Amino acid sequence: MEEEIFALVERAQNHDESAMEELFTIFKPKVTAIAREYFLLGADTDDLVQEGMIGLYRAICVFDKTKNKSFSAFASLFIHRKMQNAVKLAGRKKNEPLNTYLPINNYDDKGDDDENLNIVVADDMSNVENYFLNREMKTIMLSKIKDILTDEQYKLLKMFLNGYTYATMAERTNMTIKQVDNTLQSIKRKLKSIKGEL
């Protein structure tokens, strides 16, 4: 089995997207199991799974079978590190605005209506003032996100938050999986920049 995995990794490293997708399918249960070991403030298990899949992708890209006997063990290390970094980042006091106002979810890409991009704020209906402040913050966040992202990035962000795989996003945007990953990393850096403006 390990040799079959090595072969898939080698093909994926040579830009074979079907091999990359097969590896994602094989290791998704492992990523999901690892995600259950962590708690991400302001997010859920699916967000951690997405982080873990990014870790898996990076493991595939840099794996060298001449230096490692097991891809599974190697990938686990990258998956754990990516999730640990996400948890640490979410737990820092300076990231409190991001933790309060993200994740963004519930996107249905059948239309371009901005209502489909729902920025989740913990609505407290017992406090009317907080309720209206939270609604205003959603509007501000959406406006800032649209201002800093290109149309292509905005479309990709909505697909990512709706749980599409890298392969599906690549197919729908005519990108390679590597380009999708690079664009998502750029989006994340841009979104982090919003925090200082809140």
Side-chain angles (χ1 to χ4, degrees), residues 156-192:
L156 199 65
L157 172 65
K158 290 189 287 187
M159 285 192 285
F160 174 76
L161 294 169
N162 199 42
Y164 289 127
T165 65
Y166 275 36
T168 301
M169 287 188 281
E171 181 180 334
R172 291 194 176 200
T173 57
N174 294 318
M175 294 181 174
T176 65
I177 290 176
K178 179 61 176 173
Q179 287 172 324
V180 168
D181 182 62
N182 289 341
T183 303
L184 287 174
Q185 295 308 314
S186 176
I187 290 169
K188 287 183 180 182
R189 287 192 295 271
K190 287 184 175 184
L191 291 180
K192 286 179 183 179

Side-chain angles (χ1 to χ4, degrees), residues 56-84:
L56 173 61
Y57 174 77
R58 290 181 177 167
I60 292 168
C61 291
V62 302
F63 181 73
D64 183 347
K65 70 177 183 181
T66 65
K67 297 178 181 177
N68 301 278
K69 294 181 179 179
S70 168
F71 175 76
S72 181
F74 183 81
S76 293
L77 182 63
F78 274 70
I79 294 163
H80 274 288
R81 282 182 182 167
K82 192 72 178 82
M83 290 185 191
Q84 288 166 359

Side-chain angles (χ1 to χ4, degrees), residues 99-110:
N99 295 334
T100 304
Y101 304 119
L102 294 177
I104 305 167
N105 60 16
N106 299 335
Y107 169 66
D108 175 358
D109 77 338
K110 292 179 181 176

Side-chain angles (χ1 to χ4, degrees), residues 68-156:
N68 301 278
K69 294 181 179 179
S70 168
F71 175 76
S72 181
F74 183 81
S76 293
L77 182 63
F78 274 70
I79 294 163
H80 274 288
R81 282 182 182 167
K82 192 72 178 82
M83 290 185 191
Q84 288 166 359
N85 288 339
V87 170
K88 286 177 185 176
L89 189 63
R92 290 180 187 159
K93 182 77 171 176
K94 67 181 181 180
N95 291 325
E96 201 166 279
L98 182 63
N99 295 334
T100 304
Y101 304 119
L102 294 177
I104 305 167
N105 60 16
N106 299 335
Y107 169 66
D108 175 358
D109 77 338
K110 292 179 181 176
D112 293 326
D113 188 352
D114 290 334
E115 290 301 316
N116 288 329
L117 187 62
N118 179 28
I119 301 172
V120 177
V121 180
D123 289 336
D124 180 3
M125 289 302 292
S126 65
N127 185 324
V128 175
E129 181 181 3
N130 281 347
Y131 173 73
F132 284 104
L133 283 173
N134 286 339
R135 283 184 59 188
E136 181 65 18
M137 185 54 67
K138 289 179 183 181
T139 303
I140 292 170
M141 283 290 292
L142 179 58
S143 175
K144 287 186 177 294
I145 288 170
K146 291 191 76 176
D147 283 345
I148 65 173
L149 298 183
T150 65
D151 290 344
E152 182 180 65
Q153 288 174 330
Y154 190 69
K155 179 180 178 182
L156 199 65

Side-chain angles (χ1 to χ4, degrees), residues 8-17:
L8 283 172
V9 170
E10 186 173 356
R11 283 170 48 203
Q13 289 174 341
N14 288 315
H15 312 292
D16 183 332
E17 294 189 7

